Amino acid sequence: MEAAPEKITLKYQSWLPYWAVLQTDFRQTIRSWVYRVWVMVCFISILVYLFYRFGIHSESWLIQSASLHTSFVIRGVLLGSLALVVILSVSAIAGERGTLADSVLSRGINRYQYFLAKWHARSFVVILTLIFLSGTMLLGSSLLLGEDLTFHGSLIALWTISVTILGVCAWGTSLGALTNSSILGITILWIILYGGSSLFTLLPESFPAPERIFAKMPGILKGEYGWEQVSPWTNFVLVTSAISIILGIWGFNRKDI
């Protein structure tokens, strides 16, 4: 008698579509010419500034504060990259508005997973890139300009930058999921960023504000400020980011795509 064929049991991986969308979007983002031009311009600018300051130090023997120059460049890179971060985060979902239904339905992925995959992919790309650029500046400043940078302070600075950018990506992805066009989402996000920043400057010193945090960046890099000085701002960003993600997922699940 012939043996009965062995029964094959297929196990469905519920999060496999999430990983597929995340990996695809991550690869597409880092391969785009806009992203590569941004990284190249920022990296070259950092190298030019470092060697320029090092040339002044070598020729005139002026004592330069590595923490001051580093915080200046990091802030410039962050502000200069903010426009690209806003565009990347908002367009994560809004940019696919025309083919969004096919993207969701054809891959067997629910909207919850699709939203998180897009948000995580764009956040990972931007945060890892800024950590690389900021780390390059920190290492170059420590080797070429002086020794007033501390490892502990550098970690706090990188954490502050990462959380701030994470908040921008969270709000951008949520607005991109709730609005019908990328332009509208970008406009609303710029109003929130500039309006919120202006409002924070009018509040008492006890309230967290991005301007006050980045004004302390030289002291943070030198180790004069610890986690307790940046935790009010980072906690505020994390809480508001969580709120935006909840609203974004709720609205995206109810929105007609």
mmCIF file of all heavy atoms in Angstrom, residues 42-61:
data_model
loop_
_atom_site.group_PDB
_atom_site.id
_atom_site.type_symbol
_atom_site.label_atom_id
_atom_site.label_comp_id
_atom_site.label_asym_id
_atom_site.label_seq_id
_atom_site.Cartn_x
_atom_site.Cartn_y
_atom_site.Cartn_z
ATOM 1 N N CYS A 42 25.847 67.621 2.851
ATOM 2 C CA CYS A 42 26.105 67.765 4.286
ATOM 3 C C CYS A 42 27.491 67.248 4.657
ATOM 4 O O CYS A 42 28.221 67.884 5.435
ATOM 5 C CB CYS A 42 25.034 67.031 5.086
ATOM 6 S SG CYS A 42 23.390 67.769 5.009
ATOM 7 N N PHE A 43 27.878 66.109 4.120
ATOM 8 C CA PHE A 43 29.175 65.515 4.456
ATOM 9 C C PHE A 43 30.320 66.394 3.969
ATOM 10 O O PHE A 43 31.288 66.632 4.708
ATOM 11 C CB PHE A 43 29.267 64.118 3.842
ATOM 12 C CG PHE A 43 30.473 63.350 4.278
ATOM 13 C CD1 PHE A 43 30.561 62.813 5.543
ATOM 14 C CD2 PHE A 43 31.542 63.158 3.414
ATOM 15 C CE1 PHE A 43 31.682 62.095 5.961
ATOM 16 C CE2 PHE A 43 32.657 62.452 3.806
ATOM 17 C CZ PHE A 43 32.734 61.923 5.088
ATOM 18 N N ILE A 44 30.216 66.887 2.736
ATOM 19 C CA ILE A 44 31.264 67.765 2.209
ATOM 20 C C ILE A 44 31.340 69.066 3.007
ATOM 21 O O ILE A 44 32.436 69.575 3.295
ATOM 22 C CB ILE A 44 31.025 68.041 0.720
ATOM 23 C CG1 ILE A 44 31.200 66.759 -0.096
ATOM 24 C CG2 ILE A 44 31.968 69.127 0.202
ATOM 25 C CD1 ILE A 44 30.892 66.919 -1.567
ATOM 26 N N SER A 45 30.186 69.614 3.387
ATOM 27 C CA SER A 45 30.167 70.850 4.178
ATOM 28 C C SER A 45 30.851 70.653 5.522
ATOM 29 O O SER A 45 31.600 71.525 5.988
ATOM 30 C CB SER A 45 28.726 71.310 4.382
ATOM 31 O OG SER A 45 28.087 71.558 3.142
ATOM 32 N N ILE A 46 30.603 69.504 6.146
ATOM 33 C CA ILE A 46 31.246 69.213 7.434
ATOM 34 C C ILE A 46 32.754 69.115 7.271
ATOM 35 O O ILE A 46 33.526 69.682 8.061
ATOM 36 C CB ILE A 46 30.669 67.919 8.024
ATOM 37 C CG1 ILE A 46 29.223 68.140 8.481
ATOM 38 C CG2 ILE A 46 31.515 67.432 9.199
ATOM 39 C CD1 ILE A 46 28.528 66.883 8.944
ATOM 40 N N LEU A 47 33.216 68.411 6.247
ATOM 41 C CA LEU A 47 34.660 68.264 6.033
ATOM 42 C C LEU A 47 35.318 69.607 5.728
ATOM 43 O O LEU A 47 36.401 69.912 6.260
ATOM 44 C CB LEU A 47 34.911 67.285 4.885
ATOM 45 C CG LEU A 47 34.548 65.820 5.133
ATOM 46 C CD1 LEU A 47 34.899 64.983 3.916
ATOM 47 C CD2 LEU A 47 35.258 65.281 6.374
ATOM 48 N N VAL A 48 34.681 70.412 4.890
ATOM 49 C CA VAL A 48 35.247 71.724 4.555
ATOM 50 C C VAL A 48 35.353 72.593 5.799
ATOM 51 O O VAL A 48 36.374 73.267 6.027
ATOM 52 C CB VAL A 48 34.394 72.408 3.464
ATOM 53 C CG1 VAL A 48 34.817 73.868 3.287
ATOM 54 C CG2 VAL A 48 34.511 71.663 2.147
ATOM 55 N N TYR A 49 34.310 72.592 6.622
ATOM 56 C CA TYR A 49 34.334 73.424 7.828
ATOM 57 C C TYR A 49 35.409 72.936 8.806
ATOM 58 O O TYR A 49 36.122 73.754 9.413
ATOM 59 C CB TYR A 49 32.964 73.387 8.499
ATOM 60 C CG TYR A 49 32.855 74.322 9.683
ATOM 61 C CD1 TYR A 49 32.564 75.669 9.500
ATOM 62 C CD2 TYR A 49 33.051 73.858 10.983
ATOM 63 C CE1 TYR A 49 32.474 76.529 10.582
ATOM 64 C CE2 TYR A 49 32.956 74.706 12.064
ATOM 65 C CZ TYR A 49 32.665 76.043 11.858
ATOM 66 O OH TYR A 49 32.580 76.892 12.932
ATOM 67 N N LEU A 50 35.523 71.623 8.966
ATOM 68 C CA LEU A 50 36.524 71.084 9.878
ATOM 69 C C LEU A 50 37.936 71.478 9.458
ATOM 70 O O LEU A 50 38.744 71.945 10.264
ATOM 71 C CB LEU A 50 36.396 69.563 9.953
ATOM 72 C CG LEU A 50 35.295 68.990 10.841
ATOM 73 C CD1 LEU A 50 35.223 67.480 10.689
ATOM 74 C CD2 LEU A 50 35.518 69.357 12.297
ATOM 75 N N PHE A 51 38.253 71.300 8.189
ATOM 76 C CA PHE A 51 39.602 71.626 7.725
ATOM 77 C C PHE A 51 39.840 73.137 7.712
ATOM 78 O O PHE A 51 40.978 73.590 7.893
ATOM 79 C CB PHE A 51 39.836 71.030 6.339
ATOM 80 C CG PHE A 51 40.063 69.544 6.361
ATOM 81 C CD1 PHE A 51 39.121 68.674 5.838
ATOM 82 C CD2 PHE A 51 41.215 69.017 6.929
ATOM 83 C CE1 PHE A 51 39.338 67.300 5.865
ATOM 84 C CE2 PHE A 51 41.434 67.657 6.964
ATOM 85 C CZ PHE A 51 40.492 66.788 6.432
ATOM 86 N N TYR A 52 38.778 73.906 7.520
ATOM 87 C CA TYR A 52 38.923 75.362 7.588
ATOM 88 C C TYR A 52 39.283 75.799 9.005
ATOM 89 O O TYR A 52 40.221 76.586 9.202
ATOM 90 C CB TYR A 52 37.630 76.027 7.148
ATOM 91 C CG TYR A 52 37.580 77.517 7.414
ATOM 92 C CD1 TYR A 52 38.339 78.410 6.663
ATOM 93 C CD2 TYR A 52 36.767 78.018 8.439
ATOM 94 C CE1 TYR A 52 38.295 79.767 6.916
ATOM 95 C CE2 TYR A 52 36.723 79.380 8.697
ATOM 96 C CZ TYR A 52 37.485 80.246 7.944
ATOM 97 O OH TYR A 52 37.441 81.596 8.210
ATOM 98 N N ARG A 53 38.562 75.265 9.995
ATOM 99 C CA ARG A 53 38.879 75.613 11.385
ATOM 100 C C ARG A 53 40.249 75.064 11.797
ATOM 101 O O ARG A 53 40.991 75.698 12.548
ATOM 102 C CB ARG A 53 37.803 75.066 12.322
ATOM 103 C CG ARG A 53 36.385 75.537 12.054
ATOM 104 C CD ARG A 53 36.229 77.033 11.972
ATOM 105 N NE ARG A 53 36.792 77.749 13.101
ATOM 106 C CZ ARG A 53 36.693 79.045 13.288
ATOM 107 N NH1 ARG A 53 36.065 79.787 12.369
ATOM 108 N NH2 ARG A 53 37.226 79.634 14.332
ATOM 109 N N PHE A 54 40.579 73.877 11.304
ATOM 110 C CA PHE A 54 41.886 73.310 11.622
ATOM 111 C C PHE A 54 43.007 74.132 10.997
ATOM 112 O O PHE A 54 44.082 74.300 11.590
ATOM 113 C CB PHE A 54 41.957 71.870 11.126
ATOM 114 C CG PHE A 54 43.281 71.214 11.370
ATOM 115 C CD1 PHE A 54 43.683 70.875 12.651
ATOM 116 C CD2 PHE A 54 44.140 70.937 10.313
ATOM 117 C CE1 PHE A 54 44.906 70.271 12.886
ATOM 118 C CE2 PHE A 54 45.360 70.336 10.532
ATOM 119 C CZ PHE A 54 45.745 70.004 11.822
ATOM 120 N N GLY A 55 42.773 74.674 9.792
ATOM 121 C CA GLY A 55 43.774 75.537 9.170
ATOM 122 C C GLY A 55 44.017 76.798 9.965
ATOM 123 O O GLY A 55 45.161 77.237 10.134
ATOM 124 N N ILE A 56 42.937 77.398 10.484
ATOM 125 C CA ILE A 56 43.089 78.588 11.325
ATOM 126 C C ILE A 56 43.872 78.251 12.591
ATOM 127 O O ILE A 56 44.749 78.998 13.022
ATOM 128 C CB ILE A 56 41.705 79.155 11.680
ATOM 129 C CG1 ILE A 56 41.014 79.674 10.410
ATOM 130 C CG2 ILE A 56 41.823 80.261 12.718
ATOM 131 C CD1 ILE A 56 39.626 80.216 10.671
ATOM 132 N N HIS A 57 43.557 77.086 13.169
ATOM 133 C CA HIS A 57 44.256 76.668 14.387
ATOM 134 C C HIS A 57 45.740 76.418 14.119
ATOM 135 O O HIS A 57 46.607 76.787 14.930
ATOM 136 C CB HIS A 57 43.601 75.397 14.934
ATOM 137 C CG HIS A 57 44.320 74.805 16.099
ATOM 138 N ND1 HIS A 57 44.291 75.367 17.358
ATOM 139 C CD2 HIS A 57 45.099 73.698 16.204
ATOM 140 C CE1 HIS A 57 45.010 74.633 18.181
ATOM 141 N NE2 HIS A 57 45.513 73.618 17.508
ATOM 142 N N SER A 58 46.063 75.836 12.977
ATOM 143 C CA SER A 58 47.455 75.508 12.683
ATOM 144 C C SER A 58 48.276 76.752 12.350
ATOM 145 O O SER A 58 49.454 76.852 12.707
ATOM 146 C CB SER A 58 47.523 74.522 11.509
ATOM 147 O OG SER A 58 46.819 73.335 11.817
ATOM 148 N N GLU A 59 47.667 77.715 11.673
ATOM 149 C CA GLU A 59 48.392 78.902 11.246
ATOM 150 C C GLU A 59 48.560 79.929 12.354
ATOM 151 O O GLU A 59 49.639 80.491 12.545
ATOM 152 C CB GLU A 59 47.678 79.547 10.050
ATOM 153 C CG GLU A 59 47.721 78.722 8.786
ATOM 154 C CD GLU A 59 49.125 78.564 8.235
ATOM 155 O OE1 GLU A 59 49.949 79.480 8.457
ATOM 156 O OE2 GLU A 59 49.401 77.534 7.594
ATOM 157 N N SER A 60 47.494 80.172 13.104
ATOM 158 C CA SER A 60 47.530 81.244 14.109
ATOM 159 C C SER A 60 47.648 80.727 15.528
ATOM 160 O O SER A 60 47.830 81.513 16.459
ATOM 161 C CB SER A 60 46.259 82.099 14.002
ATOM 162 O OG SER A 60 45.104 81.310 14.203
ATOM 163 N N TRP A 61 47.518 79.421 15.712
ATOM 164 C CA TRP A 61 47.575 78.801 17.040
ATOM 165 C C TRP A 61 46.538 79.383 18.002
ATOM 166 O O TRP A 61 46.790 79.530 19.192
ATOM 167 C CB TRP A 61 48.970 78.946 17.628
ATOM 168 C CG TRP A 61 50.002 78.179 16.869
ATOM 169 C CD1 TRP A 61 50.855 78.664 15.934
ATOM 170 C CD2 TRP A 61 50.250 76.773 16.944
ATOM 171 N NE1 TRP A 61 51.637 77.682 15.403
ATOM 172 C CE2 TRP A 61 51.291 76.490 16.021
ATOM 173 C CE3 TRP A 61 49.712 75.730 17.693
ATOM 174 C CZ2 TRP A 61 51.789 75.201 15.836
ATOM 175 C CZ3 TRP A 61 50.215 74.454 17.504
ATOM 176 C CH2 TRP A 61 51.230 74.209 16.597
#
